């Protein structure tokens, strides 16, 4: 509680510096004002010491102590209780469109592209605690995994379940993935709407042309960041399915339609990034996180509890005690 005490009028505290001077003045005045009696001998007073006569020295101390408390009262001590309330003045709605085609199981990122992406995307979601996020997955076709929501737990759980299970037709339908993400955001009332579209291939499936989807994004003022995922050259990726249902891996060319991804980003006011390993993927999501900032306002509420009455009352009580002792117990000595 002490660390919550502030003084409304701290300039009065400088008066406490005069207390030592007052103590010295009291001492000099008290010793000089004592009456002196000259006697030929003190033999008769050696064995008769009065405790009351010695205790009268506490009167100046009480007076000074009372003045000290009154000075504290003048400084007006207060206990301040500060509470804060934060709210977003312009939240961002974000849809992450994730390629889940079989090539996302390539092992040029560790342990594979899809798993590496999920780990990085989960951290990104945690940092966007003031925004709404949705998930769209696509391969040869697309669908909404999670509508935009402010519940991070729901989004992260849905992200953890994203996998290639042969449910979707294999392929890379970039146009459909982008169009589905636009459809999720077109009715949003948010001031800022963002799509993060990630792929590791070229558009080779779907019935929606990627450039047509771009026009939809532009119409609804949706900014799109695109990420091309995959190392330069060749990577170990699925090339066939074995009789036991497992993938057979082999070296395949990494082919990403960078021109298309750049055009999507530039046309919608976003940026294109290339991730060739785990670290660069993390850096890309960090960069997007910095570029898309949510405006947060914090309001502070101060509750002041006045505490000046306590030192004032103590000071007055000490003055009363000092005056009472002076007029009664120590009257014959003053």
């Amino acid at each position: 509680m002490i660390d919550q005490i502030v003084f409304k009028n701290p300039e009065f505290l400088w008066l406490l510096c005069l207390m030592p001077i007052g103590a010295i003045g009291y001492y000099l005045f008290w010793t000089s004002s004592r009456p002196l009696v000259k006697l030929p001998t003190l033999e008769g007073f050696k064995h008769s010491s009065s405790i009351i006569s010695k205790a009268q020295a506490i009167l100046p101390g009480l007076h000074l102590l009372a003045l000290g408390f009154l000075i504290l009262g003048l400084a007006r001590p207060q206990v301040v209780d500060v509470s804060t309330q934060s709210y977003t003045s312009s939240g961002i709605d974000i849809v992450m469109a994730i390629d889940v085609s079989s090539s996302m199981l390539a092992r040029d990122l560790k342990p594979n592209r899809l798993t590496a992406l999920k780990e990085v995307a989960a951290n990104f979601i945690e940092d966007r605690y003031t925004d709404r996020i949705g998930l769209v997955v696509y391969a040869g076709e697309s669908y909404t995994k999670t509508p935009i929501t402010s519940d991070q737990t729901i989004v992260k759980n849905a992200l953890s379940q994203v996998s290639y299970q042969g449910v979707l037709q294999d392929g890379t339908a970039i146009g459909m993935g982008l169009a589905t993400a636009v459809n999720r955001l077109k009715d949003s009332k948010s001031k800022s709407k963002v799509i993060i579209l990630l792929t590791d291939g070229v558009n080779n499936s779907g019935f929606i042309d990627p450039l047509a989807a771009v026009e939809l994004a532009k119409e609804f003022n949706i900014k799109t960041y695109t990420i091309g995922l995959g190392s330069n050259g060749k990577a170990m990726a699925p090339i066939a399915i074995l009789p036991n249902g497992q993938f057979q891996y082999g070296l395949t060319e990494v082919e990403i339609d960078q021109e298309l991804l750049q055009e999507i980003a530039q046309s919608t006011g976003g940026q294109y990034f290339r991730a060739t390993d785990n670290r660069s993927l993390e850096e890309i999501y960090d960069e997007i996180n910095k570029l898309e900032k949510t405006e947060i306002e914090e309001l502070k509420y101060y509750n002041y509890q006045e505490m000046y009455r306590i030192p004032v009352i103590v000071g007055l009580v000490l003055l009363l005690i000092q005056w009472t002792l002076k007029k009664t117990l120590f009257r014959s000595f003053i």
Side-chain angles (χ1 to χ4, degrees), residues 5 28 63 162 171 173 319:
I5 295 178
L28 294 176
H63 201 168
V162 171
L319 284 178

Side-chain angles (χ1 to χ4, degrees), residues 131-262:
D131 301 323
R132 299 195 305 168
I133 299 178
L135 296 178
V136 167
V137 295
Y138 68 96
E141 51 188 349
S142 64
Y143 73 93
T144 300
K145 183 74 173 177
T146 305
I148 52 175
T149 176
S150 58
D151 192 326
Q152 284 188 335
T153 302
I154 291 177
V155 181
K156 289 177 66 177
N157 286 341
L159 178 65
S160 66
Q161 297 168 8
V162 171
S163 63
Y164 174 80
Q165 298 174 329
V167 176
L168 293 175
Q169 177 185 345
D170 202 9
T172 305
I174 295 176
M176 293 191 66
L178 179 57
T180 303
V182 169
N183 190 51
R184 294 269 57 117
L185 286 170
K186 64 182 179 65
D187 296 324
S188 169
K189 303 300 182 183
S190 175
K191 292 182 179 180
S192 182
K193 295 175 281 190
V194 173
I195 292 173
I196 303 175
L197 185 142
L198 180 141
T199 184
D200 66 344
V202 297
N203 187 71
N204 56 22
S205 300
F207 54 84
I208 298 179
D209 185 87
L211 297 182
V214 168
E215 292 303 315
L216 288 174
K218 290 168 60 178
E219 180 180 349
F220 293 105
N221 196 28
I222 300 173
K223 186 186 300 184
T224 304
Y225 292 96
T226 56
I227 302 174
L229 182 62
S231 59
N232 296 315
K234 296 184 178 182
M236 292 293 294
I239 57 175
I241 298 178
L242 299 173
N244 60 4
Q246 300 296 317
F247 284 108
Q248 178 181 346
Y249 281 79
L251 281 176
T252 59
E253 290 287 340
V254 176
E255 186 180 5
I256 300 174
D257 194 342
Q258 298 194 74
E259 290 185 4
L260 173 61
L261 297 180
Q262 288 172 349

